[in-house]
Amino acid sequence: MRYMTAETAEAASSALAAEPGLARVLAGGTDLLVQLKAGMIRPDLVVDIKKIPGIREITAENGGWRIGAAVANAELKEHPGVKADWPGVVEGANLIGSTQVQGRCTMAGNLCNGSPAADAVPGLVAADASVTVVGPSGTRVVKVADIPAGPGRTTLAKGEIVTAIHLPAKAARSSDAYLRFIPRTEMDIAVAAAAVSLTLSEDGTITAARVALGAVAPKVVLADASTIIGTKLDDAALAALAKAAEAVCNPIDDKRGTIEFRTSTAGVLARRAAVIAYNRAKGVK
Amino acid sequence: MALDDQKRAFKYVGTTPNRPDGVDKVTGKAQYGADITAPGMLMGAVLRSPHPHARIVSIDTSAAEAMPGVRAVVTGKDFPAVEDQGFADIGETCMARDKVLYDGHPVAAIAATTPAIAKAAIRAIKVEYAPLPHVTDVDEAMLPDAPVVLEGRALEHVPAGMSQNVTNTCEFGHGDLEAGFTKADLILERSFKVGAAHQGYIEPNACMASYAADGRADLYCCTQGHFFVRAVCSALMGMEASQLRVTASEIGGGFGGKTTVFVEPVALMLSKKSGRPVKLVMTRDEVFKATGPTVHASVDCKIGMTKDGRITAGDMTLRYSGGAWPSGTIEMGAQAGFAAYDMPAVRTLGWTALTNRPKEISYRAPGAPQAVYAVESLIDEMCQQLGLDPVETRLKNAARKGTLSSYGVTFDDIGMVATLEAAKAHPHWSAPLGPNQGRGIAAGFWFNFGGNTCVSLNINADGTASVTEGNPDIGGSRASISLMAAEELGIPYDNIRTIVADTASLGYNDNTDGSRVTFAVGLATIKAARAAIKVMCDRAAAMWGIDAEAVEWIDGAAVPAGPNAGKFPPMSLAEIAAMSFQTGGPIAGHHEVNVDGAGVSFGVHICDVEVDPETGHTLVTRYTVAQDAGKAVHPTYVEGQMQGGAVQGIGWALNEEYIYGRDGRLQNAGFLDYRIPVASDLPKIDTVILEIPNPGHPYGVRGVGETPIVPPLAAVTNAVSRAIGKRMYQVPMSPPRIMTTIKGK
Ligand SMILES: Cc1cc2nc3c(=O)[nH]c(=O)nc-3n(C[C@H](O)[C@H](O)[C@H](O)COP(=O)(O)OP(=O)(O)OC[C@H]3O[C@@H](n4cnc5c(N)ncnc54)[C@H](O)[C@@H]3O)c2cc1C
C-alpha cells in the first residue's frame, strides 16, 4: 500500500485516477482506518487530502457557507455562524461517534463513505446543500442528494474528490433539525433518521420545507414535504408528514431493526424533527 | 468457626485503601496478555471457518508454507488425541478436526515473522468444505429431525427417541406439585426466551508461548486460572504439567469468559513447530465469533399462588444450549431458578441441546440469570394480576434459615429477607414515577464456591509480609487478600504485598470463578497468617525462655499469655522478624485446602425505566442494588462488583444478544451491533451492602461477584412491562420487540 499527501486537489485527483488498483481518499480516516484494520479493504494507494490549501477552512460565501472537505465536525460545532444558520446540519454531524471521533471525522467523508445511515447526510440534503467535485475531467458542482448511489457506493467517478460542501444562504424565519433513532444514547448507528428544513411566513405558516430520511432506504430519501407546506404544523399536518415519511421508506430487515420498526420510527422522527425545526424557525427555544 | 471471629472489631478489613495494581494500570505499565514479548518472537494468526457446519474435505497449506517469513503452520492433525473428553472438547474448540461446528471455528494457524505476513499466509490456505445443514436455535435443535451437530454425545439417562443434539437432562425439586397447584387461586404458565450474551471483556484473549527444544515450555496469557490452563494445555500438547509453566498476565476483564483456553494450545503448537516464541492475539471479531458467550435459553414456567400471595407450587422446564459441545450449565440454572423461595412443591426440569454456535463458557453466575428471569418475571405478573405488592409477596415466600431449598440443601444463615427489607426501606422503592415510567423489582441468588486453594505467606526480615497466591486478580482480590493478611498479622496494609504467582510456584489453585477468591483465598491467607503467627510465637517463647503455649498474638505482637507466663513487654512482628536469622531462619506460613462452606448470596434489585411509547427506546432512570456480602472486606470493590453485575445485566436485558442469520453466521461480531451499555446509558447504580456473616468463613465473607447479574433481566423486564402496560417475555428487549408488544402483535 502506498500513502501520499496531496498538495493540490488536482494532484490528488490525478494520483487517484492513475492508480490501476484500489485507491482511497483519506480525510479524517474514521471510516477508512477502521475498514483497513478490519481487513475489509486493502487499498493500493491512500491519498491524504488534509494538506490541500483551504480544504480545512470554513468561509462565508453568497450568504451561505463553504465548508472545506477536511473540516472536522467538531470545528462546525464551534463555528457560531454555521451553527446559527444550520443547527440541524451541525447537530447531525456531531452525533457521529464520540468527542474523539468528532475531532477527526468530516461531513464529506461521511457522505463519500456511502452509508445509508450516515448522520451528516440527511441534514445536508434537507438543506439542499451542494458539493464541489474535482476530477480528471474538471470541476463540477453537484447536489449532495446526487452523491450517494447505494450502500457503500457513490456517483463519484474514479479520480473524483469532493473539495467543499456548500450550504446555501439561510432564508429569514427558517431553520432545521435532525433526529436519529439508536437503541443506546451514543456511539451507535442510526436505525432510522430524519432531517427537516423549513421556512415560515410572518404568521408562522410553512412556506417551504424539505424532509430527508436516513437509514430507511439504500440511500437518503426525500419525503413529500407538501404535507406540511401551507400549514402551521397542526396535528393533521404532522400526521400527514409521518404518513408521507413512512411511504418513502424502503428499508431492510436486519439485526438493527425490522422493516416495520424502521418505517414507523422514520415517521415518528420526521414528525418530531419538524416540530423542533418549526420552533427554531419561530425563535422559540 | 467461632462466631466471635465474625463479630470482632476489624481494624483493616472493611477499609478502602488504594488498589495495589492501580498505579501501573493508570500509567499504562501493567502488562496484559498482548504486552508480553520475547526475543525472536513470531506473530500468529488463525484461519476460521465461514460455515456454521461443514465437513472439512481437505486443507492445502502448501502455498502458505512457501511464503517467505512463514515459520509454522498448524492444523487439527498436529494435536495428539486426548482421552479426557472434557479436554478433548476444549481442544476441538481451539482447532477443528474433521468438521467445523460454528461460524468462526479455527481450522488452521500460522506463525510468521510479521503480523502482515501471518495474515497474508492465512489467506493463502485453501480449505475445501462440504457444507452440512445447521441449527442455531435450541428449540429447533431439540426437534427429532434437526441437523445433528455431534453424534453419540447424549448421556445415558437422556430418554431414547430424542434428537441426538439433546445431550443432558436433569431434575430437581420436592413436594407434591399437583396438590400445590390445587391450593392456588391463580395459576399462570408462560414461556420465555433469553438470548446468548457475551462477557464483553475489553481485553481480547491473548497469549505468548515459548516451547524449548528440550520439551520445556513457558506460556504467558490473560486468564482467570493459569493452573487450569496448564492442565488443559499440557494434556493437549501431550506434555507433563511440570514441564509447562504458565504465568497469568494482568487481566482486562473475564467475567467467567477466561476460565478456559482458545488460543493458548495453538500458540504452544506453533512455537513447538517453529522453535520460536509465538504471540497470538485475538481480534474483537474473533473474540465474538469464537470465544464462549453464555447459553441461550427457552423456558416454560408455571407458578400457583393464593390470593394473598403465597406460592403453592412452581414447575419449570428449561432448555439451554451451550453451542456445539455438551454443557453442564443447565444443572446450575435448574438449581438456581426457584432458590430464593420457600416452596412447598417445586420441580425444575432441565434439557440441554447442541447447536452450531461456539462453545459456551461461564459468564457471572452461569445458568442462573436465564432461570431466575422466568421466575421473577412470572411472580411480578402474578402480583399485578392479584393486585399484590411485589416486595411483600416476595417476603411472604422468602427462603430463610432452615428452608429446604428447591435444589435440595437446607439453608443456613442467609440474607434473602434482609435484602428484601433493605429494598423496601430504600427511598427508591417509594419514590414517585413520571409518565411512561415503570418500576421493577427482582431477587436473585448464587451458590458461591470455595475450591482448591494454596497460599504462602512470608514474613520478611524488615517486618513486612509477602503473600503469594495463585488466582488472577480480576476484581481487586490482591487488595482484599492484603487486607485480610494485615488484619490477622496486625501490621498495616501498606506493609504487605500480595502477588499472583505462576504455576511452578504454588500448588493447584482453582480458577478465579464462582465468586470464590475473596472467600477461599482469603480463608487460606488467614490460615497461612495464623501458621506464620504460630512460628513467631514459638520464636518469641524461645527468646523469652517460656513455653510456646504461653504466648499469644495480639495487635501485631507476641505477648505472654497471662501473668503466670512471665513478665515480658510485647515483641512486635518487626522485632521477631529482625531476629529471625538468629532464631531458626526465615518465617513463613502456608495453607493448602479444598475449601468448603461457601455461603450463598442473595440480591434484590430495583429498576426504573422510561420507555418512549412511539419508538420503544428505553432508558434506565434509576437503579438500586441490595446484596448480602457476608463481610465486605474492601467495600468499594464490593460496590464495584454489585454495580458491574447490574450494568452487565441491564445490557443483556435491553440489547445484548448473539444474532444469527438464516445462513447460520453471526451477524453482530463487534461492539457496534453487540450493544453493551455506554456510560451515558446508565444512571448511578446505588448500592446497599448487607453483612450477614457466612458461618463458613473466619470473617464471615461470602462471594459477591455473581449474584448481581442474576436479578437485572427480570428487574428491567418488570419495569418495562409496567411502563408499557403489557408483559414482555423475551430478552433482550430491543426497541423493535418492545414496539411489537406495545402494538399488540
Ligand atoms: C467510533 C466510531 C463511531 C462512529 N459513529 C458514527 C455515527 O454515529 N454516525 C455516522 O454517520 N458515522 C459514524 N462513524 C463513521 C465515520 O466516523 C463517519 O462516517 C465520518 O464522517 C467519516 O469521515 P472521515 O473524514 O473520517 O472519513 P474517512 O474515513 O477519511 O473517509 C471515508 C470514506 O470516504 C472517502 N472520502 C473521504 N473524504 C473524501 C473526499 N473529500 N472526496 C472523496 N472521497 C472521500 C474515503 O476514501 C473513504 O472511503 C463512526 C466511526 C467510528 C470509528
Side-chain angles (χ1 to χ4, degrees), chain B residues 196-339:
Chain B
H198 193 271
Q199 297 81 357
Y201 40 77
I202 298 303
E203 182 196 16
N205 305 63
C207 71
M208 203 278 288
S210 182
Y211 195 104
D214 60 2
R216 286 177 304 111
D218 282 288
L219 175 65
Y220 303 82
C221 56
C222 71
T223 176
Q224 288 177 241
H226 42 307
F227 290 89
F228 181 73
V229 170
R230 182 184 65 176
V232 192
C233 289
S234 56
L236 295 178
M237 294 296 293
M239 60 195 293
E240 288 171 3
S242 60
Q243 298 311 305
L244 175 60
R245 182 175 67 145
V246 185
T247 307
S249 68
E250 286 292 344
I251 179 167
F255 312 107
K258 290 176 182 165
T259 55
T260 186
V261 296
F262 296 106
V263 285
E264 292 80 354
V266 179
L268 276 165
M269 192 56 82
L270 286 168
S271 177
K272 183 179 182 180
K273 288 189 84 174
S274 64
R276 301 262 292 265
V278 174
K279 172 143 66 181
L280 203 45
V281 181
M282 276 187 163
T283 62
R284 182 61 59 187
D285 177 81
E286 292 179 301
V287 170
F288 273 111
K289 280 190 175 155
T291 67
T294 62
V295 296
H296 70 284
S298 159
V299 184
D300 305 324
C301 190
K302 179 179 170 187
I303 294 178
M305 200 183 264
T306 60
K307 278 196 294 269
D308 61 349
R310 180 75 186 121
I311 297 174
T312 60
D315 189 9
M316 179 158 64
T317 302
L318 302 152
R319 293 169 294 271
Y320 284 11
S321 175
W325 287 271
S327 134
T329 301
I330 187 66
E331 310 238 352
M332 292 187 274
Q335 293 182 49
F338 284 110

Side-chain angles (χ1 to χ4, degrees), chain B residues 308-561:
Chain B
D308 61 349
R310 180 75 186 121
I311 297 174
T312 60
D315 189 9
M316 179 158 64
T317 302
L318 302 152
R319 293 169 294 271
Y320 284 11
S321 175
W325 287 271
S327 134
T329 301
I330 187 66
E331 310 238 352
M332 292 187 274
Q335 293 182 49
F338 284 110
Y341 300 106
D342 183 358
M343 307 280 294
V346 60
R347 181 178 72 149
T348 46
L349 180 60
W351 298 98
T352 189
L354 307 177
T355 50
N356 292 109
R357 295 183 179 221
K359 187 175 181 345
E360 164 246 355
I361 189 67
S362 304
Y363 181 20
R364 289 183 117 138
Q370 296 90 338
V372 170
Y373 154 67
V375 171
E376 292 293 313
S377 297
L378 189 50
I379 289 178
D380 196 61
E381 182 173 356
M382 297 180 85
C383 287
Q384 279 185 301
Q385 288 203 13
L386 292 170
L388 297 170
D389 179 279
V391 175
E392 296 300 344
T393 305
R394 284 177 172 81
L395 273 169
K396 191 164 271 173
N397 296 286
R400 294 170 157 78
K401 183 172 183 162
T403 297
L404 171 63
S405 72
S406 60
Y407 62 99
V409 313
T410 300
F411 285 129
D412 202 324
D413 283 323
I414 56 169
M416 178 63 182
V417 171
T419 42
L420 281 166
E421 294 286 3
K424 189 170 115 180
H426 195 283
H428 183 175
W429 182 241
S430 44
L433 286 168
N436 301 319
Q437 294 186 344
R439 176 167 300 143
I441 190 162
F445 154 90
W446 185 245
F447 312 91
N448 292 331
F449 176 58
N452 292 299
T453 309
C454 181
V455 169
S456 278
L457 185 150
N458 290 288
I459 304 293
N460 304 315
D462 66 351
T464 63
S466 307
V467 180
T468 307
E469 49 114 349
N471 276 95
D473 175 357
I474 54 176
S477 53
R478 277 168 293 191
S480 299
I481 287 161
S482 292
L483 280 168
M484 287 184 269
E487 191 70 49
E488 207 57 34
L489 293 172
I491 61 172
Y493 169 84
D494 287 333
N495 287 359
I496 295 169
R497 180 159 180 197
T498 297
I499 64 138
V500 179
D502 63 52
T503 52
S505 307
L506 281 175
Y508 194 91
N509 282 277
D510 276 322
N511 284 337
T512 296
D513 65 10
S515 300
R516 73 174 216 93
V517 174
T518 307
F519 165 68
V521 181
L523 180 143
T525 301
I526 292 166
K527 298 277 177 81
R530 287 178 184 173
I533 286 169
K534 172 82 178 57
V535 177
M536 291 190 282
C537 288
D538 289 353
R539 300 282 174 95
M543 285 188 271
W544 287 328
I546 65 174
D547 267 5
E549 284 70 48
V551 180
E552 284 182 335
W553 191 259
I554 296 171
D555 261 351
V559 292

Side-chain angles (χ1 to χ4, degrees), chain B residues 37 51 87 109 128 322 377 480 547 572:
Chain B
T37 53
H51 301 286
F87 287 168
E128 196 191 325
S377 297
S480 299
D547 267 5
S572 71

Side-chain angles (χ1 to χ4, degrees), chain A residues 126-208:
Chain A
D128 205 16
S130 320
V131 290
T132 296
V133 175
V134 173
S137 44
T139 299
R140 58 190 180 114
V141 175
V142 199
K143 292 286 189 199
V144 167
D146 294 332
I147 297 290
R153 291 184 300 118
T154 66
T155 56
L156 295 174
K158 187 163 174 67
E160 279 192 324
I161 66 166
V162 170
T163 55
I165 294 172
H166 309 276
L167 282 167
K170 170 189 145 60
R173 292 179 303 279
S174 72
S175 196
D176 65 343
Y178 176 75
L179 290 175
R180 68 169 180 183
F181 181 86
I182 54 172
R184 289 186 291 205
T185 48
E186 60 179 349
M187 294 300 285
D188 216 325
I189 183 165
V191 179
V196 176
S197 168
L198 45 73
T199 306
L200 311 182
S201 67
E202 267 177 36
D203 74 345
T205 305
I206 298 170
T207 57

Side-chain angles (χ1 to χ4, degrees), chain A residues 37 42 181-189 191 255-258 260-261 264-265 268-269 271-272, chain B residues 123 612 614-615 617 619 655 659 667-668 671-673 675-678 680-681 735-736 739 743 745:
Chain A
K37 287 202 172 156
R42 284 197 295 280
F181 181 86
I182 54 172
R184 289 186 291 205
T185 48
E186 60 179 349
M187 294 300 285
D188 216 325
I189 183 165
V191 179
K255 60 202 170 194
R256 292 175 190 148
T258 55
E260 188 191 344
F261 179 78
S264 73
T265 303
V268 171
L269 296 180
R271 188 154 46 70
R272 292 179 182 177
Chain B
R123 288 194 293 274
D612 182 332
E614 290 186 313
T615 65
H617 188 270
L619 197 64
N655 285 303
I659 302 170
Q667 304 288 299
N668 57 336
F671 278 133
L672 177 55
D673 285 302
R675 292 182 170 75
I676 64 174
V678 296
S680 56
D681 293 338
M739 285 318 290
K743 290 181 176 168
K745 285 185 201 143

